[in-house]
Amino acid sequence: MSSIAVSHLQRPSRSLRRYGGRSLVAAAAGALCVLLPSAPKLLTFTSVHRRPAAATVAGVRFVGRKAEGGGHAVPKGSAVSQENMDPEILAFREHQKNAARLSFAEEARTLVNSAISGVMSTVSARQGTEGYPSGSVVFFATDEQGRPIFSFSSMSGHTVDLKKNEKASLTILAPGFASPADARVTITGTAAPVNDDEKEAVKAAYKEKHPNAFWTEFGDFKWHRMEVEAASLVGGFARAGGITAEEYAAAKPDPVAPFSGPIAGHMNDDHGDATLAIVKGTTGLKKGIVGAKLLTIDRLGMNVLVEREDKPEGAEEPNKQSFKVRVPFPSPAENRKEVKDRIVQMTRAAAAQEQEEAAP
């Protein structure tokens, strides 16, 4: 049987709580850390979301970042175990708590901006499934406010549904989504046909993302746009929260995200040792670290998957753990060159630190 570990749960915002306990628990469950005995353990740290007030949902009382009413067993030697009082681990947890990250709204806008498709959920108006949730894979673009834009055929099931009930949600996965550690966002709102005076602007935005979308010229296809009422983000294990419509509209996509993949791929293929050294030098986590893989980059820093081994006293084999680590840049990077400069700077600093520590 698998065990589940939670370091901290962030208090949900009003926009997430409004959906009721069931949705909140589902969102929280997506933020939990699952430990599988048959595979390396996947652990993580949550971001800080300082809202000290408490709320009670589905029998769990959320106070600040901690959840009262019970916890789950984590190996004592784990880097995320609250029982681990190793000074290095304590310093590491403090570093992660204060590490610079994109806001939930910025991360959501970045994720939506990077995608070309998602799953739209509507309330079915079709015979046989009327009143039931219905999901459809749809292609979309966004306008300057991050509102999704669609070209829908009048014959599509979701178009039929929207004519009766405009309420819908759009779930979008991060590029290369492959595990619960990867990010996803759900936008909730209303999707309706676009006014005639806005059609050309909407078409231009859609064609920029989908230049070969010949179907938009068919007579039965009409332009639709979703007005965002709220969004909920799961950025990976133990990073989840709600976003208001105002927060979503005010945020901007991260400028570094478009070349995150190529940079991460280059670092993993050719400079894995440098990434490992940066993690050790920046976060202070050194003991038992055997690997580091760069996952994503944004203007404030990097997300790295770290492999750690811990051998409890008397154990024949070490416990193997994999968990995300946030590595902030010394200062924000607004373009590709600046990202390279920050990584070079951190690599040199880590190398100098290693030499200093190795000196007699």
Short mmCIF file of all heavy atoms in Angstrom, two decimals, residues 105 108-116 139-151 170 172 187 190-195 197-210 223-229 245 248-254:
data_model
loop_
_atom_site.label_atom_id
_atom_site.label_comp_id
_atom_site.label_asym_id
_atom_site.label_seq_id
_atom_site.Cartn_x
_atom_site.Cartn_y
_atom_site.Cartn_z
N ALA A 105 -1.07 33.29 -10.39
CA ALA A 105 -1.68 33.89 -11.58
C ALA A 105 -0.70 33.95 -12.74
O ALA A 105 -1.05 33.66 -13.89
CB ALA A 105 -2.19 35.29 -11.25
N ALA A 108 -0.27 30.45 -14.09
CA ALA A 108 -1.45 30.04 -14.86
C ALA A 108 -1.46 30.70 -16.24
O ALA A 108 -1.69 30.04 -17.26
CB ALA A 108 -2.71 30.39 -14.09
N ARG A 109 -1.21 32.01 -16.28
CA ARG A 109 -1.19 32.71 -17.57
C ARG A 109 -0.10 32.16 -18.48
O ARG A 109 -0.29 32.04 -19.70
CB ARG A 109 -0.97 34.21 -17.35
CG ARG A 109 -2.18 34.98 -16.85
CD ARG A 109 -3.29 35.06 -17.89
NE ARG A 109 -2.85 35.65 -19.14
CZ ARG A 109 -2.87 36.95 -19.42
NH1 ARG A 109 -3.32 37.81 -18.52
NH2 ARG A 109 -2.47 37.41 -20.58
N THR A 110 1.04 31.83 -17.91
CA THR A 110 2.14 31.26 -18.69
C THR A 110 1.76 29.91 -19.27
O THR A 110 2.01 29.61 -20.44
CB THR A 110 3.39 31.11 -17.81
OG1 THR A 110 3.77 32.40 -17.31
CG2 THR A 110 4.55 30.52 -18.60
N LEU A 111 1.12 29.09 -18.45
CA LEU A 111 0.70 27.76 -18.89
C LEU A 111 -0.35 27.85 -20.00
O LEU A 111 -0.26 27.16 -21.02
CB LEU A 111 0.15 26.98 -17.70
CG LEU A 111 -0.26 25.53 -17.91
CD1 LEU A 111 0.87 24.74 -18.55
CD2 LEU A 111 -0.66 24.91 -16.58
N VAL A 112 -1.33 28.73 -19.82
CA VAL A 112 -2.37 28.90 -20.83
C VAL A 112 -1.78 29.44 -22.13
O VAL A 112 -2.12 29.00 -23.23
CB VAL A 112 -3.47 29.84 -20.31
CG1 VAL A 112 -4.48 30.18 -21.41
CG2 VAL A 112 -4.19 29.22 -19.11
N ASN A 113 -0.85 30.38 -22.01
CA ASN A 113 -0.25 30.99 -23.20
C ASN A 113 0.59 30.00 -24.00
O ASN A 113 0.72 30.13 -25.22
CB ASN A 113 0.61 32.17 -22.76
CG ASN A 113 1.08 33.03 -23.93
OD1 ASN A 113 0.28 33.64 -24.60
ND2 ASN A 113 2.38 33.04 -24.18
N SER A 114 1.15 29.00 -23.31
CA SER A 114 2.04 28.05 -23.99
C SER A 114 1.29 26.93 -24.68
O SER A 114 1.87 26.19 -25.48
CB SER A 114 3.02 27.44 -22.98
OG SER A 114 2.33 26.61 -22.05
N ALA A 115 0.00 26.77 -24.38
CA ALA A 115 -0.76 25.64 -24.90
C ALA A 115 -1.54 26.01 -26.16
O ALA A 115 -1.82 27.18 -26.42
CB ALA A 115 -1.73 25.13 -23.84
N ILE A 116 -1.90 24.98 -26.94
CA ILE A 116 -2.73 25.19 -28.12
C ILE A 116 -4.06 24.44 -28.01
O ILE A 116 -4.97 24.67 -28.80
CB ILE A 116 -2.01 24.75 -29.40
CG1 ILE A 116 -1.69 23.25 -29.37
CG2 ILE A 116 -0.75 25.57 -29.63
CD1 ILE A 116 -1.16 22.70 -30.67
N PHE A 139 -9.21 23.23 -29.56
CA PHE A 139 -8.06 24.07 -29.83
C PHE A 139 -8.43 25.52 -29.50
O PHE A 139 -9.58 25.93 -29.69
CB PHE A 139 -7.62 23.94 -31.28
CG PHE A 139 -6.99 22.62 -31.58
CD1 PHE A 139 -7.78 21.53 -31.97
CD2 PHE A 139 -5.63 22.44 -31.46
CE1 PHE A 139 -7.21 20.31 -32.23
CE2 PHE A 139 -5.04 21.21 -31.73
CZ PHE A 139 -5.84 20.14 -32.11
N PHE A 140 -7.45 26.28 -29.04
CA PHE A 140 -7.77 27.66 -28.64
C PHE A 140 -6.54 28.55 -28.79
O PHE A 140 -5.40 28.08 -28.94
CB PHE A 140 -8.27 27.68 -27.19
CG PHE A 140 -7.19 27.42 -26.16
CD1 PHE A 140 -6.51 28.47 -25.56
CD2 PHE A 140 -6.85 26.13 -25.80
CE1 PHE A 140 -5.51 28.23 -24.63
CE2 PHE A 140 -5.87 25.87 -24.87
CZ PHE A 140 -5.18 26.93 -24.28
N ALA A 141 -6.78 29.84 -28.72
CA ALA A 141 -5.74 30.85 -28.59
C ALA A 141 -6.18 31.75 -27.44
O ALA A 141 -7.19 31.48 -26.79
CB ALA A 141 -5.58 31.63 -29.89
N THR A 142 -5.45 32.81 -27.17
CA THR A 142 -5.85 33.74 -26.10
C THR A 142 -5.70 35.17 -26.58
O THR A 142 -4.90 35.47 -27.48
CB THR A 142 -4.99 33.54 -24.84
OG1 THR A 142 -3.60 33.67 -25.19
CG2 THR A 142 -5.23 32.19 -24.21
N ASP A 143 -6.48 36.04 -25.95
CA ASP A 143 -6.32 37.47 -26.22
C ASP A 143 -5.38 38.07 -25.18
O ASP A 143 -4.77 37.35 -24.38
CB ASP A 143 -7.67 38.18 -26.25
CG ASP A 143 -8.41 38.12 -24.92
OD1 ASP A 143 -7.80 37.75 -23.89
OD2 ASP A 143 -9.62 38.44 -24.90
N GLU A 144 -5.24 39.40 -25.18
CA GLU A 144 -4.29 40.05 -24.29
C GLU A 144 -4.64 39.86 -22.82
O GLU A 144 -3.77 39.98 -21.95
CB GLU A 144 -4.20 41.54 -24.63
CG GLU A 144 -3.56 41.83 -25.98
CD GLU A 144 -3.40 43.30 -26.25
OE1 GLU A 144 -3.88 44.11 -25.40
OE2 GLU A 144 -2.80 43.67 -27.28
N GLN A 145 -5.88 39.60 -22.52
CA GLN A 145 -6.31 39.39 -21.13
C GLN A 145 -6.24 37.91 -20.73
O GLN A 145 -6.62 37.56 -19.62
CB GLN A 145 -7.73 39.90 -20.94
CG GLN A 145 -7.89 41.38 -21.19
CD GLN A 145 -9.34 41.82 -21.03
OE1 GLN A 145 -10.02 41.45 -20.07
NE2 GLN A 145 -9.82 42.60 -21.98
N GLY A 146 -5.76 37.08 -21.65
CA GLY A 146 -5.66 35.66 -21.35
C GLY A 146 -6.95 34.90 -21.51
O GLY A 146 -7.06 33.74 -21.11
N ARG A 147 -7.97 35.53 -22.13
CA ARG A 147 -9.25 34.86 -22.33
C ARG A 147 -9.13 33.89 -23.51
O ARG A 147 -8.70 34.28 -24.60
CB ARG A 147 -10.35 35.88 -22.60
CG ARG A 147 -10.64 36.78 -21.42
CD ARG A 147 -11.70 37.83 -21.76
NE ARG A 147 -11.25 38.74 -22.82
CZ ARG A 147 -11.96 39.76 -23.27
NH1 ARG A 147 -13.18 39.99 -22.76
NH2 ARG A 147 -11.49 40.55 -24.22
N PRO A 148 -9.52 32.63 -23.33
CA PRO A 148 -9.44 31.66 -24.43
C PRO A 148 -10.40 32.00 -25.57
O PRO A 148 -11.53 32.44 -25.35
CB PRO A 148 -9.85 30.35 -23.76
CG PRO A 148 -9.57 30.55 -22.32
CD PRO A 148 -9.89 31.99 -22.06
N ILE A 149 -9.92 31.81 -26.80
CA ILE A 149 -10.67 32.06 -28.02
C ILE A 149 -10.81 30.75 -28.78
O ILE A 149 -9.84 29.98 -28.90
CB ILE A 149 -9.94 33.09 -28.90
CG1 ILE A 149 -9.84 34.45 -28.19
CG2 ILE A 149 -10.62 33.23 -30.25
CD1 ILE A 149 -8.85 35.39 -28.85
N PHE A 150 -12.00 30.47 -29.30
CA PHE A 150 -12.27 29.21 -29.98
C PHE A 150 -12.97 29.46 -31.32
O PHE A 150 -13.65 30.47 -31.50
CB PHE A 150 -13.19 28.32 -29.14
CG PHE A 150 -12.82 28.21 -27.70
CD1 PHE A 150 -13.38 29.07 -26.76
CD2 PHE A 150 -11.92 27.25 -27.27
CE1 PHE A 150 -13.05 28.97 -25.42
CE2 PHE A 150 -11.59 27.13 -25.93
CZ PHE A 150 -12.15 28.00 -25.00
N SER A 151 -12.83 28.48 -32.22
CA SER A 151 -13.61 28.44 -33.44
C SER A 151 -14.40 27.14 -33.39
O SER A 151 -13.83 26.05 -33.56
CB SER A 151 -12.70 28.47 -34.68
OG SER A 151 -13.46 28.42 -35.86
N LEU A 170 -12.16 24.99 -18.80
CA LEU A 170 -11.14 24.57 -19.75
C LEU A 170 -9.92 24.13 -18.95
O LEU A 170 -9.34 24.92 -18.20
CB LEU A 170 -10.76 25.73 -20.68
CG LEU A 170 -9.69 25.44 -21.73
CD1 LEU A 170 -10.20 24.41 -22.75
CD2 LEU A 170 -9.28 26.73 -22.44
N ILE A 172 -6.07 22.71 -18.94
CA ILE A 172 -4.89 22.78 -19.81
C ILE A 172 -3.72 22.15 -19.08
O ILE A 172 -3.47 22.43 -17.90
CB ILE A 172 -4.57 24.25 -20.15
CG1 ILE A 172 -5.76 24.88 -20.90
CG2 ILE A 172 -3.30 24.36 -20.97
CD1 ILE A 172 -5.82 26.37 -20.79
N ILE A 187 -9.55 26.70 -16.03
CA ILE A 187 -10.20 28.00 -16.09
C ILE A 187 -11.71 27.77 -16.08
O ILE A 187 -12.22 26.93 -16.83
CB ILE A 187 -9.80 28.76 -17.36
CG1 ILE A 187 -8.29 28.98 -17.38
CG2 ILE A 187 -10.54 30.09 -17.47
CD1 ILE A 187 -7.80 29.55 -18.70
N THR A 190 -17.66 31.50 -18.62
CA THR A 190 -18.75 31.35 -19.59
C THR A 190 -18.19 31.51 -21.00
O THR A 190 -17.36 32.39 -21.25
CB THR A 190 -19.85 32.39 -19.35
OG1 THR A 190 -19.28 33.71 -19.40
CG2 THR A 190 -20.51 32.17 -18.00
N ALA A 191 -18.62 30.65 -21.89
CA ALA A 191 -18.16 30.70 -23.28
C ALA A 191 -19.33 31.03 -24.19
O ALA A 191 -20.36 30.34 -24.18
CB ALA A 191 -17.54 29.36 -23.68
N ALA A 192 -19.19 32.10 -24.96
CA ALA A 192 -20.30 32.57 -25.79
C ALA A 192 -19.77 33.10 -27.12
O ALA A 192 -18.59 33.42 -27.25
CB ALA A 192 -21.06 33.67 -25.06
N PRO A 193 -20.65 33.21 -28.13
CA PRO A 193 -20.23 33.77 -29.43
C PRO A 193 -19.71 35.19 -29.29
O PRO A 193 -20.14 35.96 -28.42
CB PRO A 193 -21.52 33.73 -30.25
CG PRO A 193 -22.34 32.64 -29.63
CD PRO A 193 -22.05 32.72 -28.17
N VAL A 194 -18.77 35.55 -30.15
CA VAL A 194 -18.15 36.86 -30.14
C VAL A 194 -19.00 37.84 -30.94
O VAL A 194 -19.59 37.48 -31.97
CB VAL A 194 -16.73 36.77 -30.74
CG1 VAL A 194 -16.11 38.15 -30.91
CG2 VAL A 194 -15.86 35.89 -29.87
N ASN A 195 -19.07 39.08 -30.47
CA ASN A 195 -19.81 40.11 -31.20
C ASN A 195 -19.15 40.39 -32.56
O ASN A 195 -17.94 40.22 -32.73
CB ASN A 195 -19.84 41.41 -30.39
CG ASN A 195 -20.63 41.26 -29.10
OD1 ASN A 195 -21.57 40.47 -29.02
ND2 ASN A 195 -20.24 42.02 -28.09
N ASP A 197 -18.33 43.09 -34.09
CA ASP A 197 -17.28 44.09 -34.15
C ASP A 197 -15.95 43.61 -33.55
O ASP A 197 -14.93 44.29 -33.66
CB ASP A 197 -17.72 45.38 -33.44
CG ASP A 197 -18.06 45.15 -31.98
OD1 ASP A 197 -18.20 43.98 -31.56
OD2 ASP A 197 -18.19 46.14 -31.24
N GLU A 198 -15.93 42.43 -32.95
CA GLU A 198 -14.71 41.89 -32.37
C GLU A 198 -14.16 40.70 -33.17
O GLU A 198 -13.07 40.20 -32.86
CB GLU A 198 -14.96 41.43 -30.93
CG GLU A 198 -15.37 42.53 -29.97
CD GLU A 198 -15.60 42.00 -28.57
OE1 GLU A 198 -16.67 41.39 -28.34
OE2 GLU A 198 -14.70 42.18 -27.72
N LYS A 199 -14.86 40.27 -34.16
CA LYS A 199 -14.49 39.04 -34.86
C LYS A 199 -13.13 39.11 -35.53
O LYS A 199 -12.36 38.14 -35.52
CB LYS A 199 -15.57 38.67 -35.87
CG LYS A 199 -16.84 38.14 -35.23
CD LYS A 199 -17.89 37.75 -36.27
CE LYS A 199 -19.15 37.19 -35.61
NZ LYS A 199 -20.19 36.83 -36.60
N GLU A 200 -12.81 40.24 -36.16
CA GLU A 200 -11.53 40.34 -36.85
C GLU A 200 -10.35 40.26 -35.89
O GLU A 200 -9.34 39.60 -36.18
CB GLU A 200 -11.47 41.64 -37.66
CG GLU A 200 -12.34 41.62 -38.91
CD GLU A 200 -12.02 40.46 -39.83
OE1 GLU A 200 -10.81 40.22 -40.07
OE2 GLU A 200 -12.95 39.80 -40.32
N ALA A 201 -10.46 40.92 -34.74
CA ALA A 201 -9.38 40.87 -33.75
C ALA A 201 -9.23 39.47 -33.18
O ALA A 201 -8.11 38.97 -32.99
CB ALA A 201 -9.65 41.87 -32.62
N VAL A 202 -10.35 38.82 -32.94
CA VAL A 202 -10.33 37.46 -32.42
C VAL A 202 -9.72 36.51 -33.44
O VAL A 202 -8.89 35.65 -33.11
CB VAL A 202 -11.76 37.02 -32.03
CG1 VAL A 202 -11.83 35.52 -31.82
CG2 VAL A 202 -12.22 37.75 -30.77
N LYS A 203 -10.11 36.67 -34.68
CA LYS A 203 -9.58 35.83 -35.76
C LYS A 203 -8.07 35.99 -35.89
O LYS A 203 -7.34 35.00 -36.05
CB LYS A 203 -10.26 36.18 -37.07
CG LYS A 203 -9.76 35.37 -38.27
CD LYS A 203 -10.49 35.78 -39.54
CE LYS A 203 -9.97 35.02 -40.75
NZ LYS A 203 -10.68 35.41 -41.99
N ALA A 204 -7.60 37.22 -35.81
CA ALA A 204 -6.16 37.48 -35.93
C ALA A 204 -5.38 36.79 -34.81
O ALA A 204 -4.31 36.20 -35.05
CB ALA A 204 -5.89 38.97 -35.92
N ALA A 205 -5.91 36.87 -33.59
CA ALA A 205 -5.24 36.23 -32.46
C ALA A 205 -5.21 34.71 -32.62
O ALA A 205 -4.21 34.06 -32.33
CB ALA A 205 -5.93 36.61 -31.15
N TYR A 206 -6.31 34.15 -33.10
CA TYR A 206 -6.39 32.70 -33.27
C TYR A 206 -5.45 32.23 -34.39
O TYR A 206 -4.75 31.22 -34.26
CB TYR A 206 -7.83 32.31 -33.59
CG TYR A 206 -8.10 30.82 -33.52
CD1 TYR A 206 -8.51 30.22 -32.34
CD2 TYR A 206 -7.94 30.00 -34.65
CE1 TYR A 206 -8.76 28.86 -32.26
CE2 TYR A 206 -8.19 28.64 -34.59
CZ TYR A 206 -8.60 28.07 -33.40
OH TYR A 206 -8.84 26.73 -33.33
N LYS A 207 -5.44 32.97 -35.50
CA LYS A 207 -4.61 32.60 -36.64
C LYS A 207 -3.11 32.72 -36.32
O LYS A 207 -2.28 32.00 -36.89
CB LYS A 207 -4.94 33.48 -37.84
CG LYS A 207 -6.24 33.11 -38.53
CD LYS A 207 -6.11 31.81 -39.32
CE LYS A 207 -7.26 31.61 -40.27
NZ LYS A 207 -7.08 30.41 -41.12
N GLU A 208 -2.76 33.60 -35.41
CA GLU A 208 -1.36 33.71 -35.01
C GLU A 208 -0.91 32.42 -34.32
O GLU A 208 0.23 31.98 -34.49
CB GLU A 208 -1.17 34.90 -34.08
CG GLU A 208 0.28 35.14 -33.68
CD GLU A 208 0.45 36.38 -32.83
OE1 GLU A 208 -0.54 37.11 -32.62
OE2 GLU A 208 1.59 36.61 -32.36
N LYS A 209 -1.79 31.81 -33.52
CA LYS A 209 -1.46 30.57 -32.82
C LYS A 209 -1.68 29.35 -33.72
O LYS A 209 -0.96 28.35 -33.63
CB LYS A 209 -2.32 30.46 -31.56
CG LYS A 209 -2.08 29.21 -30.70
CD LYS A 209 -0.69 29.18 -30.09
CE LYS A 209 -0.52 30.16 -28.97
NZ LYS A 209 -1.16 29.78 -27.72
N HIS A 210 -2.67 29.44 -34.63
CA HIS A 210 -3.00 28.32 -35.52
C HIS A 210 -3.04 28.82 -36.97
O HIS A 210 -4.12 28.99 -37.55
CB HIS A 210 -4.37 27.74 -35.14
CG HIS A 210 -4.48 27.32 -33.71
ND1 HIS A 210 -4.01 26.12 -33.23
CD2 HIS A 210 -5.03 27.97 -32.63
CE1 HIS A 210 -4.26 26.03 -31.94
NE2 HIS A 210 -4.86 27.13 -31.55
N TRP A 223 -16.95 32.12 -34.05
CA TRP A 223 -15.97 32.49 -33.03
C TRP A 223 -16.63 32.57 -31.66
O TRP A 223 -17.70 33.14 -31.49
CB TRP A 223 -15.32 33.83 -33.37
CG TRP A 223 -14.50 33.78 -34.62
CD1 TRP A 223 -14.80 34.35 -35.83
CD2 TRP A 223 -13.26 33.11 -34.79
NE1 TRP A 223 -13.83 34.08 -36.76
CE2 TRP A 223 -12.86 33.30 -36.14
CE3 TRP A 223 -12.44 32.36 -33.96
CZ2 TRP A 223 -11.68 32.78 -36.66
CZ3 TRP A 223 -11.25 31.84 -34.47
CH2 TRP A 223 -10.89 32.05 -35.80
N HIS A 224 -15.96 31.98 -30.67
CA HIS A 224 -16.41 32.01 -29.28
C HIS A 224 -15.25 32.47 -28.40
O HIS A 224 -14.08 32.34 -28.76
CB HIS A 224 -16.86 30.62 -28.81
CG HIS A 224 -18.16 30.16 -29.39
ND1 HIS A 224 -18.34 29.91 -30.74
CD2 HIS A 224 -19.36 29.89 -28.79
CE1 HIS A 224 -19.59 29.51 -30.95
NE2 HIS A 224 -20.22 29.50 -29.78
N ARG A 225 -15.61 33.01 -27.26
CA ARG A 225 -14.59 33.43 -26.29
C ARG A 225 -15.07 33.12 -24.88
O ARG A 225 -16.26 33.23 -24.58
CB ARG A 225 -14.31 34.93 -26.42
CG ARG A 225 -13.23 35.45 -25.45
CD ARG A 225 -12.94 36.92 -25.70
NE ARG A 225 -14.14 37.72 -25.55
CZ ARG A 225 -14.39 38.84 -26.24
NH1 ARG A 225 -13.53 39.26 -27.15
NH2 ARG A 225 -15.49 39.52 -26.04
N MET A 226 -14.14 32.72 -24.03
CA MET A 226 -14.49 32.43 -22.64
C MET A 226 -14.17 33.62 -21.76
O MET A 226 -13.04 34.15 -21.79
CB MET A 226 -13.74 31.20 -22.13
CG MET A 226 -14.00 30.90 -20.66
SD MET A 226 -13.15 29.42 -20.05
CE MET A 226 -14.28 28.16 -20.64
N GLU A 227 -15.15 34.06 -21.00
CA GLU A 227 -14.94 35.08 -19.97
C GLU A 227 -14.55 34.36 -18.69
O GLU A 227 -15.29 33.50 -18.19
CB GLU A 227 -16.21 35.91 -19.76
CG GLU A 227 -16.67 36.67 -20.99
CD GLU A 227 -15.69 37.76 -21.41
OE1 GLU A 227 -14.93 38.26 -20.54
OE2 GLU A 227 -15.68 38.11 -22.61
N VAL A 228 -13.39 34.69 -18.16
CA VAL A 228 -12.84 33.97 -17.01
C VAL A 228 -13.46 34.47 -15.72
O VAL A 228 -13.42 35.66 -15.41
CB VAL A 228 -11.31 34.12 -16.97
CG1 VAL A 228 -10.74 33.40 -15.75
CG2 VAL A 228 -10.69 33.59 -18.26
N GLU A 229 -14.03 33.56 -14.96
CA GLU A 229 -14.58 33.87 -13.64
C GLU A 229 -13.60 33.51 -12.52
O GLU A 229 -13.57 34.15 -11.48
CB GLU A 229 -15.90 33.12 -13.42
CG GLU A 229 -17.03 33.57 -14.33
CD GLU A 229 -17.44 35.01 -14.06
OE1 GLU A 229 -17.36 35.44 -12.89
OE2 GLU A 229 -17.82 35.70 -15.02
N ALA A 245 -10.58 36.15 -10.95
CA ALA A 245 -10.63 36.68 -12.31
C ALA A 245 -9.75 37.91 -12.44
O ALA A 245 -9.06 38.10 -13.46
CB ALA A 245 -12.08 37.01 -12.69
N TYR A 248 -6.05 36.91 -12.49
CA TYR A 248 -5.72 36.27 -13.77
C TYR A 248 -5.55 37.33 -14.87
O TYR A 248 -4.58 37.29 -15.64
CB TYR A 248 -6.81 35.29 -14.14
CG TYR A 248 -6.57 34.55 -15.44
CD1 TYR A 248 -5.78 33.41 -15.48
CD2 TYR A 248 -7.14 35.00 -16.63
CE1 TYR A 248 -5.53 32.74 -16.67
CE2 TYR A 248 -6.91 34.34 -17.82
CZ TYR A 248 -6.12 33.21 -17.84
OH TYR A 248 -5.88 32.57 -19.03
N ALA A 249 -6.47 38.26 -14.94
CA ALA A 249 -6.42 39.27 -16.00
C ALA A 249 -5.22 40.21 -15.84
O ALA A 249 -4.66 40.67 -16.84
CB ALA A 249 -7.72 40.08 -16.01
N ALA A 250 -4.83 40.47 -14.60
CA ALA A 250 -3.73 41.41 -14.36
C ALA A 250 -2.36 40.79 -14.59
O ALA A 250 -1.39 41.50 -14.85
CB ALA A 250 -3.82 41.93 -12.92
N ALA A 251 -2.26 39.48 -14.52
CA ALA A 251 -0.97 38.81 -14.67
C ALA A 251 -0.55 38.76 -16.14
O ALA A 251 -1.37 38.89 -17.04
CB ALA A 251 -1.05 37.39 -14.10
N LYS A 252 0.75 38.54 -16.35
CA LYS A 252 1.30 38.42 -17.70
C LYS A 252 2.04 37.09 -17.83
O LYS A 252 2.63 36.60 -16.87
CB LYS A 252 2.26 39.57 -18.00
CG LYS A 252 1.63 40.95 -17.93
CD LYS A 252 0.58 41.14 -19.01
CE LYS A 252 -0.01 42.54 -18.95
NZ LYS A 252 -1.12 42.71 -19.95
N PRO A 253 2.05 36.50 -19.03
CA PRO A 253 2.84 35.28 -19.23
C PRO A 253 4.32 35.55 -19.00
O PRO A 253 4.83 36.63 -19.31
CB PRO A 253 2.57 34.92 -20.69
CG PRO A 253 1.29 35.60 -21.03
CD PRO A 253 1.28 36.86 -20.23
N ASP A 254 5.02 34.58 -18.46
CA ASP A 254 6.44 34.74 -18.19
C ASP A 254 7.22 34.87 -19.50
O ASP A 254 7.03 34.06 -20.42
CB ASP A 254 6.96 33.54 -17.39
CG ASP A 254 8.42 33.68 -17.02
OD1 ASP A 254 8.72 34.43 -16.08
OD2 ASP A 254 9.26 33.06 -17.70
#
